[in-house]
Amino acid sequence: MKHYILTLLCALLCLSCSDKDETTIPPAPPAPPTPPAQCERTVLIYCVAQNDLGISTWRSDSTEIARGAQYMSEDDCLLVYVDKAQLPRIYLFTSQIKGQLVYQYPDDYYSTNPEQLGSVIEYMIQHYPANEYGLVCWSHS
């Protein structure tokens, strides 16, 4: 009987084990909200302020962006990359979408690194293709 119980316990342990280290696999980006099939213009605001200073200022700025988005053309997209005290993330604004989170990075990054800026631009081009692009660099320094 002891051998039967020991064998059963070993089998249960083997079934619950995995050879994958799930902590090293980044989560898949969420499916972006449906923007126009082809934007006329996509603008990226690259906001880098790696601290929580001026958090109330950012809230009022983002509220102002959301209010102003209603005046955008239906064919335009605005992406806002934010790297403050929390993990970096990207929000989408259109005339119909008011600041919807479209991607949050699984880890913190040095947003001042040109490669990070390049990867955000690649994300923009891949998910929000347009006839024209714009870039706004926004930082407290």
Side-chain angles (χ1 to χ4, degrees), residues 47-70:
C47 181
V48 180
Q50 187 65 32
N51 58 49
D52 60 359
L53 298 175
I55 191 75
S56 61
T57 302
W58 167 248
R59 282 190 187 128
S60 65
D61 289 340
S62 62
T63 301
E64 191 173 348
I65 291 169
R67 271 192 247 130
Q70 67 183 323

Side-chain angles (χ1 to χ4, degrees), residues 13 18 20 31 43 53-54 57 101 104 118-119 125 131 135 140-141:
L13 285 175
S18 172
K20 293 182 181 179
V43 175
L53 298 175
T57 302
L101 180 68
Q104 180 165 336
S119 75
I125 292 169
N131 295 324
L135 174 64
H140 62 83
S141 59

Side-chain angles (χ1 to χ4, degrees), residues 21-99:
D21 182 4
E22 294 182 22
T23 59
T24 61
I25 301 170
T34 307
Q38 173 80 21
C39 301
E40 179 59 33
R41 186 175 304 103
T42 298
V43 175
L44 169 65
I45 297 176
Y46 194 77
C47 181
V48 180
Q50 187 65 32
N51 58 49
D52 60 359
L53 298 175
I55 191 75
S56 61
T57 302
W58 167 248
R59 282 190 187 128
S60 65
D61 289 340
S62 62
T63 301
E64 191 173 348
I65 291 169
R67 271 192 247 130
Q70 67 183 323
Y71 302 108
M72 293 171 50
S73 166
E74 290 183 11
D75 298 332
D76 292 341
C77 293
L78 173 65
L79 295 177
V80 180
Y81 171 88
V82 180
D83 185 8
K84 293 186 68 58
Q86 302 88 10
L87 292 173
R89 55 213 177 275
I90 300 174
Y91 294 95
L92 172 67
F93 292 83
T94 68
S95 60
Q96 303 299 314
I97 301 169
K98 307 297 186 239

